[in-house]
């Protein structure tokens, strides 16, 4: 496995992790504001 393929694999992994963390943070904030009403 070449270094470029390794780098692309980890970049995709990093992107997926950051997208899921952003979604989870948004979901938590949404639930917090929804719970206040």
């Amino acid at each position: 496995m070449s270094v470029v393929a390794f780098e692309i694999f980890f970049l995709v992994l990093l992107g997926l992790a950051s997208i899921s963390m952003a979604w989870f943070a948004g979901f938590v904030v949404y639930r917090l504001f929804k719970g206040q009403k």
Side-chain angles (χ1 to χ4, degrees):
M1 204 167 170
S2 65
V3 178
V4 178
F6 223 62
E7 202 172 335
I8 290 170
F9 172 72
F10 277 109
L11 279 173
V12 169
L13 216 61
L14 185 70
L16 286 173
S18 41
I19 287 169
S20 58
M21 280 189 285
W23 177 85
F24 189 72
F27 180 70
V28 167
V29 169
Y30 167 75
R31 288 295 299 254
L32 278 172
F33 277 109
K34 194 179 168 193
Q36 283 183 348
K37 292 179 182 174

